[in-house]
Amino acid sequence: MQATLSSATTASVPTLSADLPIGQIAVQWPGATAIFRRLKLDFCCGGQQSLRSAAAGKGLDAEAVLAEIAPLQRSNALPEATAPGALIDHILARYHEVHRAQLPELIRMARRVEAVHRTHPQVPAGLTDLLEAMEAELLSHMQKEEQILFPMLRAGGAPFIGQPISVMRSEHVEHGAVLQQLAALTADATPPADACNTWRALYAGLAQLSDDLVNHIHLENNVLFPQFEAGASQGCGSGSACSCSGG
């Protein structure tokens, strides 16, 4: 799984502070845009003012806003325990719940960027449709894991466990293909020099989604699933879509 987007906006992240410009926070902490939108804090055209100033202008406590943003600083570290139950709990909390929160906000921003900047030569035309299709596929995939595969793994597996694992591996390959489409459509999540803060925040969020999804798939393909495949009667399947090597 190599299809990652590497937005330059996420290369160096400062310490989160109410004195940072609100537009900078929107770009460097993907997900903060949903908080700002709910609180009616303008991070796009008004992105040059500090969060402290923007919050004061709305009668808000800047420290309370920071407390909402802080959980967005997520770690990609693997859990210390590799027992199936602990891994599944980690995958559900760190990736499934996060993907469900990421995609609706990215879709909203993509729709706005495509509408507002429709005449810009670098507008990512079709991005909203691609993200909506990705969301539908990913939600279906995660539901199958949560309702079928993960309960089986928690129970210790089954002689035929290789079959549903093979299906999940095949769908992981499809997710990787979508990430490649995202990279091509967004110039590897690189916004144009004149991009507004919404456009920059969108691409930073896409880069984080890509990193999260790749790490999510790696954890399942290379850490969780192999614990059950060795003893399964059908292994992981031998179809061309199988990505047991992690490539």
Side-chain angles (χ1 to χ4, degrees):
M1 176 65 62
Q2 302 292 329
T4 58
L5 284 71
S6 53
S7 174
T9 58
T10 60
S12 177
V13 179
T15 301
L16 181 61
S17 165
D19 295 319
L20 288 175
I22 190 171
Q24 182 179 354
I25 295 174
V27 171
Q28 296 187 311
W29 278 271
T33 56
I35 296 170
F36 293 154
R37 184 164 50 86
R38 174 169 53 80
L39 297 175
K40 296 184 176 9
L41 294 172
D42 180 11
F43 64 87
C44 194
C45 298
Q48 72 283 355
Q49 62 181 327
S50 71
L51 172 59
R52 192 179 307 281
S53 174
K58 292 289 185 178
L60 300 171
D61 180 355
E63 296 305 318
V65 179
L66 282 181
E68 287 195 59
I69 297 170
L72 299 175
Q73 303 176 90
R74 306 181 182 102
S75 171
N76 286 325
L78 293 175
E80 292 185 7
T82 57
L87 282 173
I88 290 170
D89 288 343
H90 175 76
I91 288 167
L92 291 174
R94 174 60 184 87
Y95 297 111
H96 284 209
E97 291 182 14
V98 171
H99 294 330
R100 287 189 171 103
Q102 288 170 320
L103 280 158
E105 180 65 8
L106 291 174
I107 290 168
R108 187 198 70 80
M109 287 194 290
R111 184 176 293 113
R112 180 163 183 79
V113 167
E114 286 194 71
V116 173
H117 303 287
R118 58 188 176 277
T119 61
H120 194 289
Q122 291 175 262
V123 68
L127 178 59
T128 305
D129 290 343
L130 181 59
L131 287 173
E132 288 179 334
M134 181 183 189
E135 181 184 40
E137 292 168 1
L138 195 54
L139 288 177
S140 173
H141 175 86
M142 294 190 298
Q143 184 177 49
K144 282 182 278 189
E145 289 186 332
E146 293 164 4
Q147 296 184 356
I148 301 172
L149 181 59
F150 287 173
M152 293 174 65
L153 299 184
R154 288 186 188 276
F160 58 86
I161 197 68
Q163 199 167 32
I165 287 177
S166 179
V167 173
M168 295 300 98
R169 284 189 180 276
S170 178
E171 292 185 5
H172 287 168
V173 172
E174 295 171 3
H175 298 330
V178 174
L179 291 181
Q180 291 177 343
Q181 293 179 58
L182 284 176
L185 191 57
T186 64
D188 197 22
T190 304
D194 58 345
C196 67
N197 284 332
T198 298
W199 199 337
R200 293 180 185 278
L202 168 63
Y203 279 16
L206 290 174
Q208 185 187 68
L209 172 67
S210 174
D211 286 345
D212 283 349
L213 188 53
V214 167
N215 289 329
H216 175 187
I217 291 171
H218 158 69
L219 192 57
E220 292 184 356
N221 276 6
N222 303 322
V223 183
L224 178 62
F225 294 165
Q227 297 186 45
F228 296 88
E229 289 172 324
S233 60
Q234 296 185 28
C236 64
S238 57
S240 60
C242 181
S243 55
C244 295
S245 65

